[in-house]
Amino acid sequence: SLELEAGQTVALVGHTGSGKTTIANLISRFYDPTGGAVKIDGHNLKDVSLSSLRHQISVVLQDTFIFSGTIFDNIRFGRPDATDGEVMKAAKAVGAHVFIEKLPNGYETEVEERGNILSVGERQLLSFARALLADPRILILDEATASIDTETEVKIQAALKTLLKGRTAIIIAHRLSTIRKSDKIFVLDHGNILEQGNHDQLMDLKGEY
């Protein structure tokens, strides 16, 4: 069992198959638990409508999906009624505006599915802008910083700071730089919680972490 407080950033770490993504999938209700319950603000997710739940959650994955259409369309995906100004504001907040402005037609640039004209880091910044614009209460980052180089990571870390502010966040990552600032870190192994605490507490333990 584990508990996250509202507004906390919690990291899940552990080897492949330890249960990190399973927890993220249970919170998103991609499937239901076979035992126990997943609750948000005391409400069992089985009693909540899927559309209500998913309006509260944004998920950013390692492999960002870019849809065919303009940059505007891609950022606006989670909130279709957003104005151009709101889209730009979200892009500026996560540091995506600079590279978008350099594209042939800026925000009106057409990108193909998978976003071939964009680098991995640029696609990730777009996904952060998309998540920020959707303004979720709960943010799930599943290896969202795994594929980027160290130069891009500086931009991504700055973007993350903006994105995490005032939200409950679950971060699944292997990069120490991504998880060390988390309020709490859970060390998982085959579906069990081996250790929990912040970075300094877990380092003092000299255990699995």
Side-chain angles (χ1 to χ4, degrees), residues 131-161:
L132 185 65
L133 186 67
D135 197 20
R137 288 172 62 204
I138 297 169
L139 184 66
I140 297 172
L141 303 175
D142 193 346
E143 292 289 5
T145 59
S147 303
I148 54 168
D149 56 65
T150 41
E151 190 184 334
T152 311
E153 190 183 8
V154 178
K155 295 177 191 169
I156 297 282
Q157 291 299 341
L160 270 179
K161 209 170 173 183

Side-chain angles (χ1 to χ4, degrees), residues 89-166:
K89 190 178 173 186
K92 282 175 184 170
V94 299
H97 180 74
V98 177
F99 86 79
I100 295 171
E101 286 283 87
K102 290 177 183 169
L103 293 172
N105 296 307
Y107 285 82
E108 295 290 357
T109 303
E110 291 274 341
V111 285
E112 292 173 23
E113 207 164 289
R114 310 304 296 168
N116 293 342
I117 65 164
L118 305 171
S119 72
V120 173
E122 288 168 348
R123 292 202 294 270
Q124 205 58 290
L125 287 174
L126 272 195
S127 72
F128 285 174
R130 187 190 285 165
L132 185 65
L133 186 67
D135 197 20
R137 288 172 62 204
I138 297 169
L139 184 66
I140 297 172
L141 303 175
D142 193 346
E143 292 289 5
T145 59
S147 303
I148 54 168
D149 56 65
T150 41
E151 190 184 334
T152 311
E153 190 183 8
V154 178
K155 295 177 191 169
I156 297 282
Q157 291 299 341
L160 270 179
K161 209 170 173 183
T162 304
L163 195 54
L164 298 177
K165 203 173 178 182

Side-chain angles (χ1 to χ4, degrees), residues 55 58 71-91 93-94 125-136 139 162-163 167:
H55 268 104
S58 276
I71 297 287
F72 268 134
D73 296 336
N74 268 282
I75 297 176
R76 206 180 259 128
F77 182 77
R79 215 182 108 208
D81 59 345
T83 65
D84 289 357
E86 286 172 324
V87 171
M88 288 178 171
K89 190 178 173 186
V94 299
L125 287 174
L126 272 195
S127 72
F128 285 174
R130 187 190 285 165
L132 185 65
L133 186 67
D135 197 20
L139 184 66
T162 304
L163 195 54
R167 299 177 214 286

Side-chain angles (χ1 to χ4, degrees), residues 161-209:
K161 209 170 173 183
T162 304
L163 195 54
L164 298 177
K165 203 173 178 182
R167 299 177 214 286
T168 307
I170 296 104
I171 297 178
I172 297 168
H174 285 101
R175 283 195 182 198
L176 189 59
S177 53
T178 310
I179 57 176
R180 69 185 307 159
K181 291 175 186 156
S182 302
D183 299 305
K184 195 181 269 189
I185 300 165
F186 290 95
V187 183
L188 305 178
D189 181 54
H190 291 91
N192 296 304
I193 298 165
L194 296 184
E195 298 166 357
Q196 56 182 288
N198 63 31
H199 172 73
D200 293 335
Q201 289 167 339
L202 291 172
M203 288 301 285
D204 290 344
L205 267 182
K206 293 184 169 56
E208 193 66 28
Y209 182 74

